[in-house]
Amino acid sequence: AQTVTQSQPEMSVQEAETVTLSCTYDTSESDYYLFWYKQPPSRQMILVIRQEAYKQQNATENRFSVNFQKAAKSFSLKISDSQLGDAAMYFCAYRIKAAGNKLTFGGGTRVLVKP
Amino acid sequence: NAGVMQNPRHLVRRRGQEARLRCSPMKGHSHVYWYRQLPEEGLKFMVYLQKENIIDESGMPKERFSAEFPKEGPSILRIQQVVRGDSAAYFCASSPGLANTGELFFGEGSRLTVL
């Protein structure tokens, strides 16, 4: 079975500090996308960052960056200069290119930001 | 440019009743996905549809659940004879097709409560 594991149910970070969320996945495929989605209390799923498996360079979007280790099947998210608005559930997900656009999600990590 | 629209946002049903959840994809999107989120869990894939076709229903329970995406009108997720275990948030997502970056655009979800 193809799975996504987020081992940290909850992470707490001080405003302006940095927090790293871990994600590991298990697939035998070699061509896929990886994503981090944010789900604030409004419950809307918002795409934070995307990585293509064949690209070695780690993706970056403003204060969000990833550490993609393909051999280890690891895809961690770093939030720098944390802001109160970053407080949310964060979900790691992947999509196998040959399997349509079906996303497989991890169980989520709740991020708390302390002022 | 409206995003993915889901209604109702909240639905309360008694055991044995039927629940119908509707989803209008983003303009220009022809692919629709339904996901279910149980409390404190990640999203679980249910079904993937294109206009008038079910492409992948591997995540749908075998009984009581059905989905359609007619040529005209929204996609419908139908749950017959609801039970308490059906209480969850149901998310719809859409995409323009397979030849894209893999991102799904999510609606705000429909929260079903079964009494």
Side-chain angles (χ1 to χ4, degrees), chain A residues 23-103:
Chain A
C23 172
T24 58
Y25 57 93
D26 183 17
T27 179
S28 57
E29 300 288 334
S30 60
D31 197 8
Y32 49 88
Y33 293 107
L34 293 160
F35 305 87
W36 279 97
Y37 277 87
K38 171 185 178 181
Q39 187 179 42
S42 68
R43 304 193 65 81
Q44 178 92 47
M45 294 290 287
I46 302 165
L47 179 67
V48 174
I49 200 165
R50 172 181 53 237
Q51 174 84 40
E52 295 189 59
Y54 69 86
K55 289 186 176 179
Q56 293 189 349
Q57 186 173 5
N58 289 322
T60 299
E61 287 287 341
N62 300 314
R63 297 182 295 106
F64 298 87
S65 61
V66 298
N67 183 4
F68 174 44
Q69 302 290 328
K70 189 171 185 178
K73 297 181 181 177
S74 170
F75 184 60
S76 61
L77 174 71
K78 184 170 78 172
I79 308 173
S80 304
D81 186 24
S82 297
Q83 300 176 0
L84 295 178
D86 295 333
M89 287 290 291
Y90 287 79
F91 293 96
C92 178
Y94 73 79
R95 171 175 90 80
I96 308 299
K97 288 189 181 181
N101 271 356
K102 183 171 70 175
L103 290 173

Side-chain angles (χ1 to χ4, degrees), chain B residues 17-62:
Chain B
Q17 292 184 317
E18 179 179 287
R20 283 188 179 228
L21 309 177
R22 289 175 290 278
C23 170
S24 296
M26 285 183 70
K27 188 175 181 180
H29 287 191
S30 57
H31 296 226
V32 166
Y33 309 79
W34 285 94
Y35 285 80
R36 177 165 62 176
Q37 185 179 33
L38 296 172
E40 304 303 319
E41 294 188 11
L43 278 70
K44 296 289 194 295
F45 170 78
M46 298 181 74
V47 63
Y48 162 35
L49 310 104
Q50 296 177 23
K51 284 285 187 181
E52 299 184 279
N53 286 305
I54 296 175
I55 306 302
D56 182 351
E57 57 181 349
S58 58
M60 287 276 274
K62 293 290 187 286

